[in-house]
Amino acid sequence: MSGKLWGGRFQNSAEQWVDEFGASIGFDQQLVTEDLEGSIAHVTMLGACGILSQDEVNTIKDGLHQLQQKATEGSLEFSIANEDIHLNLEKMLIDLVGPVGGKLHTGRSRNDQVATDMHLFLKKRLQEVISLIEAFQKAIVTQAEDNIDTLAPGYTHLQRAQPISFAHHLMTYFWMLERDKQRFQDSLKRTDISPLGAGALAGTTFPIDREMSAELLGFSAVYQNSMDAVSDRDFIVEFLSNGSLLMAHLSRFAEEIILWSSEEFKFIELDDAFSTGSSIMPQKKNPDMAELIRGKAGRVYGNLMGLLTVLKGIPLAYNKDMQEDKEGMFDTLHTIVGSLKIFEGMVRTMTVAKETLHKAVHQDFSNATELADYLATKGMPFREAHEVTGKLVFLCIQRGIYLLDLSIEDLQEASSLIESDVYDVLAPEAAVQRRHSLGGTGFEQVKIQIAKAKECI
Ligand code: ARG
């Protein structure tokens, strides 16, 4: 006898270290709430379908409620000998209410049970992730609204390219997050399906009502194929994949925060709450949280690769390999929740160095396109305008000045098309103002964009 709930056909017991290797209780105890919810729905359905007597149902439910109570108090004691959350709770139930507790598992298998737990768990957490994304989006909008007329250098190749509204730059991340949010929302549809009642793989001989248990659990639909129900982990892959893309976005933003808060840029200052000092260099204020988030993208991608690899070669239906779906999922959830919370606070409390940004934009050549466009508007072919402007930039570099510092004589020597109105055109404010094409950085367009964004949150 092995002493296990499934030990009937076993003569010898496994050695303890083998049990330890196979056990998932160390991590799947995080499913305790969902496992109990699933059992309550299942036993309610068994009663309604006349499979268990009302007395039996009441006794079992009473026991499950006691376990819920203990779970809330944190007084459940899990044991590796009982392998996983399902067997641990079933054992506790039988200890509490006697052998009738053994009737709970009628018409059910751990295979549909664990799948149900995972669906329930992710469904709840997805809502949490979605609202955290939204909170972060709000912080971005608030900073953007405060910086519509803050001029900043816009970059390509990390070289100053054209002046922009700093709000326009910030809002780019808003839209990335909006797509992330939509992806999580969309995946909710495929998470919101009940596998319960699929049994081990083939369904069950008991006259169960799967739609009833699904409804009791708040699921919108049931799986149409019992083998698919117990072997589908696509909804977890989707979660890990959406989490990965979210982390890619956070990591890009983190990189900019790190650059901007450096002595080299000084475009922002992070609040003390989101920075740390150095143990040896007293002058330092490090953007540790941003760096950490940039780094954490790695583990989230790893979790995605891990599960895809686990799934790629397993035959239908359930295989123990699938137990490996959990730790990565918990880890990704924990990581993205933490990263979103930190990022929201970091962006909400950062100070934008408007003066430095203003100076930066007035001491560079990011208005060169304006001059080329100006000449093109006056009839010069754009290629030629580009050439003329390039030569003037070169002249400035030689003299250590910027385009706006050139005298009208210097400018007219380069092209007789240039008149004194050029100075207005070269002002960075004007360069931004004039980019009024839809979705452009023109101040009015940025305001329209922010108004549209606010409709999403
Ligand atoms: N702990 C298992 C898991 O997470 C539960 C399902 C076990 N089913 C089985 N037939 N061994 O996948």
Side-chain angles (χ1 to χ4, degrees), residues 24 28 84 86 110-111 114 318 320 322-323 326:
S24 52
D28 67 12
D84 58 23
H86 325 294
R110 269 190 296 158
N111 298 350
V114 69
Y318 177 84
K320 183 81 165 177
M322 289 172 158
Q323 184 166 290
K326 291 179 192 60

Side-chain angles (χ1 to χ4, degrees), residues 249-312:
H249 297 152
L250 297 189
S251 184
R252 291 182 80 170
F253 201 173
E255 170 66 7
E256 301 219 84
I257 298 273
I258 294 160
L259 288 173
W260 291 345
S261 60
S262 70
E263 196 64 30
E264 284 68 16
F265 280 77
K266 276 197 157 167
F267 288 176
I268 58 163
E269 186 173 353
L270 290 179
D271 192 86
D272 284 359
F274 297 97
S275 326
T276 51
S278 157
S279 56
I280 174 168
M281 298 163 282
Q283 84 282 12
K284 291 201 58 175
K285 191 171 167 187
N286 297 329
D288 274 29
M289 294 302 129
E291 291 167 38
L292 202 49
I293 290 170
R294 187 177 57 184
K296 280 182 189 291
R299 66 195 294 155
V300 173
Y301 296 179
N303 292 333
L304 171 64
M305 287 308 134
L307 185 59
L308 283 171
T309 312
V310 165
L311 293 176
K312 69 176 270 297

Side-chain angles (χ1 to χ4, degrees), residues 307-351:
L307 185 59
L308 283 171
T309 312
V310 165
L311 293 176
K312 69 176 270 297
I314 44 181
L316 296 179
Y318 177 84
N319 295 266
K320 183 81 165 177
D321 317 39
M322 289 172 158
Q323 184 166 290
E324 287 292 307
D325 63 356
K326 291 179 192 60
E327 285 160 290
M329 191 265 287
F330 292 134
D331 184 70
T332 286
L333 177 69
H334 183 72
T335 307
I336 63 179
V337 164
S339 303
L340 283 167
K341 283 185 184 162
I342 294 273
F343 231 126
E344 187 274 333
M346 200 159 61
V347 167
R348 182 168 38 78
T349 59
M350 74 186 188
T351 312

Side-chain angles (χ1 to χ4, degrees), residues 2-76:
S2 76
K4 305 276 195 219
L5 283 178
W6 40 254
R9 59 107 56 226
F10 285 75
Q11 298 299 312
N12 305 313
S13 29
E15 287 189 49
Q16 196 190 331
W17 64 272
V18 177
D19 276 352
E20 275 168 21
F21 188 78
S24 52
I25 188 62
F27 46 87
D28 67 12
Q29 54 183 274
Q30 292 174 72
L31 298 170
V32 63
T33 309
E34 290 72 24
D35 199 76
L36 288 167
E37 273 170 26
S39 289
I40 290 170
H42 180 66
V43 76
T44 306
M45 180 278 291
L46 290 178
C49 295
I51 300 165
L52 296 191
S53 75
Q54 216 40 62
D55 270 358
E56 289 169 331
V57 171
N58 291 342
T59 310
I60 292 172
K61 268 196 182 171
D62 185 49
L64 291 169
H65 288 141
Q66 289 183 50
L67 292 178
Q68 276 183 323
Q69 182 60 33
K70 287 188 179 191
T72 329
E73 290 161 5
S75 63
L76 292 176

Side-chain angles (χ1 to χ4, degrees), residues 177-189:
L177 288 162
E178 183 58 22
R179 291 192 294 275
D180 288 321
K181 193 172 77 185
Q182 287 172 6
R183 266 184 289 270
F184 282 115
Q185 272 160 348
D186 190 65
S187 74
L188 204 46
K189 279 189 274 186

